[in-house]
Amino acid sequence: MKWVTILVIAIALVASVLAALLYAAGGSAAQSAGDVKIPTGYRSWFHVNTLVIDKASPLYDALGGMHNVYVNSTGEAALKKGGPYPDGSIFLTDLHEVVVSDGSYAEGPRKAIAIMIKDDKQTSTGGWIWQLWAKGDPTKPLVMNAVKQCFECHQPKTDQDYVYSTYIP
């Protein structure tokens, strides 16, 4: 059963990052996305899960790699309850290449950082601000249209406040 949960989370993360990459070249600016910064210290936040998208996935070319998902302290309690999330909740995905050596999988170079920030004023995107940065470089934002690039893929999770990640004790 845990593999099913992990697979669902992996597919959801892959879909949201893929949508961002596919639409990065066009669209209008995401609401408040230009003001979004990569939070410092996110690796000390609650680690929601890690998943690997490997060559067996049809999304490998765009999103292959190791996805490390974190939530800040504001969102952690809501994650454990299954939502809804209070304003200020942040989910961050740190996407890396996967390095395989002697049968061991390890985190390689960074491919991207994706973020969701709860802000109920963002009504067109389900109350979330979204951004994705190429290689985690704050000067290389990729989200230009959060509705098309992010929110459309998250709409199936309305019952979880548009969040695919779930708490796995």
Side-chain angles (χ1 to χ4, degrees), residues 122-169:
Q122 308 301 320
T123 57
S124 67
T125 55
W128 293 92
I129 298 169
W130 316 77
Q131 191 50 271
L132 174 76
W133 295 274
K135 297 186 178 189
D137 183 338
T139 66
K140 297 180 181 175
L142 297 174
V143 174
M144 300 298 148
N145 183 332
V147 172
K148 291 276 186 200
Q149 292 172 259
C150 307
F151 185 59
E152 286 182 359
C153 291
H154 283 259
Q155 284 182 337
K157 288 299 179 180
T158 304
D159 63 331
Q160 290 179 204
D161 201 5
Y162 305 103
V163 174
Y164 277 96
S165 295
T166 57
Y167 178 63
I168 303 169

Side-chain angles (χ1 to χ4, degrees), residues 29-101:
Q31 291 181 306
S32 303
D35 297 332
V36 176
K37 306 290 183 234
I38 299 171
T40 59
Y42 65 85
R43 285 190 178 223
S44 66
W45 295 358
F46 181 76
H47 182 247
V48 178
N49 62 33
T50 296
L51 54 105
V52 174
I53 305 300
D54 70 12
K55 292 178 182 177
S57 170
L59 300 174
Y60 177 78
D61 289 339
L63 297 170
M66 183 177 292
H67 299 246
N68 297 299
V69 181
Y70 301 91
V71 65
N72 69 352
S73 59
T74 304
E76 184 179 348
L79 171 73
K80 291 177 178 179
K81 292 187 313 186
Y85 293 90
D87 272 7
S89 297
I90 302 174
F91 281 89
L92 185 141
T93 299
D94 194 1
L95 172 60
H96 289 257
E97 297 284 346
V98 174
V99 176
V100 182
S101 177

Side-chain angles (χ1 to χ4, degrees), residues 3-13 157 164:
W3 277 106
V4 172
T5 302
I6 291 170
L7 181 61
V8 168
I9 292 168
I11 291 169
L13 287 171
K157 288 299 179 180
Y164 277 96

